[in-house]
Amino acid sequence: MTPNSAERQPLKLVIVGDSAFAEVAYEYFTVDSSYEVVAFAVESAYLKRTELFGLPVVALESLPTLFPAHEYAFYVATVYTQLNRLRTRLYSQMKAWGYAPASYVSSRAAVWRNVTLGEHCFIFENNVVQPFCGIGDNVVLWSGNHIGHHSKIGDNCFIASHAVISGFVEIGRNCFVGVNATFANNLQLGEDCIIGAGALLTKNVPADHVVRGGSADAVPGAKRLHRVKE
């Protein structure tokens, strides 16, 4: 569950992306994991530079030739663009090419021993993930969140900082949860939802809805808001 264990030998890692999150991911993987970041990769249409932190930035399309899949792991360091579709697409592409997905779990996060943690996750410092929780694949938990006991977070979600998710909450796939959002116990959040900063949820929310900060009222159209094209 913790591929960043200091007991393992360093593994070579390619970070997909060169944005601010990519820079942050580089720092965490370098300082607090057994991974050695060796390169960054960006789709050729968005390739604007050739070097970052003294490492090469290469076209994603050339990656299988330059950095063969059997020798390197990957992490896609993009945020919640298109309700997480961009990160999910690149993650799926890298797996299809045979690369192994890397995860990062901060040494300063409190993740209980029986938490089920999927692959390709990034869990920042000061997250508390309580017993019997389940975290899906391709999930980002930014710093300082509370994930209450028996709660489930679906694949491809992005939880921003200082969200409080109480016990027995189920969050569907592809959701975004903003800073300081609060979930009461025993709630279900459908897939493809956006929960705004400071929102208070006291009732279930259907799929593809937006809950704006300071309001528990959900309105449809989360995928439209993020210009998701299926």
Side-chain angles (χ1 to χ4, degrees), residues 81-89 174 192 223 230:
T81 304
Q82 297 177 333
L83 264 182
N84 302 291
R85 292 323 198 266
L86 174 61
R87 190 174 74 256
T88 303
R89 175 175 65 80
N174 308 321
D192 296 313
K223 290 193 286 186
E230 300 293 356

Side-chain angles (χ1 to χ4, degrees), residues 108 129 145 223:
R108 294 176 177 147
V129 186
N145 298 297
K223 290 193 286 186

